[in-house]
Amino acid sequence: MPEPNAILRMARAEAQRNAIDLLAYSSAVYPDEIHDLVSAKILEIGVAFAVNARRCFEVASEPAEIVARRWKYQMNGSQKIEKDLWRALNGIIHARNLSIHFAESPQAVFSDSRNSVALHFVYETDRYPETYVDLFGLAWTFLSFGPFAWEESCD
């Protein structure tokens, strides 16, 4: 396989930076009053991450499963949870609706507000119904994956 081109190297570096940001945002506790601000920033980072991360996987890489979670939580069982990294990235990129799901934080940080954590990207596409993707798990799966098929030729 030929040496990766500059676009693949740039995409990997940018996706890594975005993934670190997603780890940080998905590990913090927020007061309810700033959900809109936090959501806007996570969505901005998440879409850029998805585009660049998917580009890295487009050149013959193995599938990856999303299993890591930052917070222990129980869903009510009716949500579709996406565990396949490729499908999750495609869902975010092709979403007709894309939002952030917050849940009550296990830690009380703000005494004068309800405390919450950002848990999931929630998307709906023309092919998939409402689907949840763990923010932390998505970022960690990408960061811990490797090497990509196109990187093996660089050793």
Side-chain angles (χ1 to χ4, degrees), residues 16-119:
Q16 287 173 324
R17 284 190 291 273
N18 294 147
I20 295 296
D21 289 344
L22 289 174
L23 288 178
Y25 275 96
S26 63
S27 295
V29 177
Y30 302 100
D32 276 357
E33 295 80 10
I34 64 168
H35 277 191
D36 289 346
L37 294 171
V38 173
S39 289
K41 190 62 179 171
I42 294 173
L43 291 171
E44 175 188 329
I45 294 165
V47 171
F49 167 76
V51 168
N52 286 300
R54 189 179 79 166
R55 183 171 279 164
C56 294
F57 282 95
E58 287 176 342
V59 184
S61 289
E62 295 296 316
E65 184 180 11
I66 300 168
V67 294
R69 294 190 330 184
R70 166 65 177 90
W71 304 101
K72 292 182 182 180
Y73 55 86
Q74 289 288 345
M75 301 294 279
N76 69 16
S78 66
Q79 296 88 358
K80 179 183 181 332
I81 307 292
E82 184 57 70
K83 298 275 188 190
D84 181 271
L85 181 61
W86 179 259
R87 281 196 306 264
L89 295 171
N90 279 330
I92 292 166
I93 290 168
H94 296 290
R96 287 186 299 191
N97 297 309
L98 183 61
S99 62
I100 304 301
H101 168 233
F102 289 87
E104 188 171 344
S105 172
Q107 296 174 303
V109 175
F110 304 98
S111 60
D112 58 344
S113 180
R114 183 171 173 262
N115 293 258
S116 59
V117 293
L119 289 181

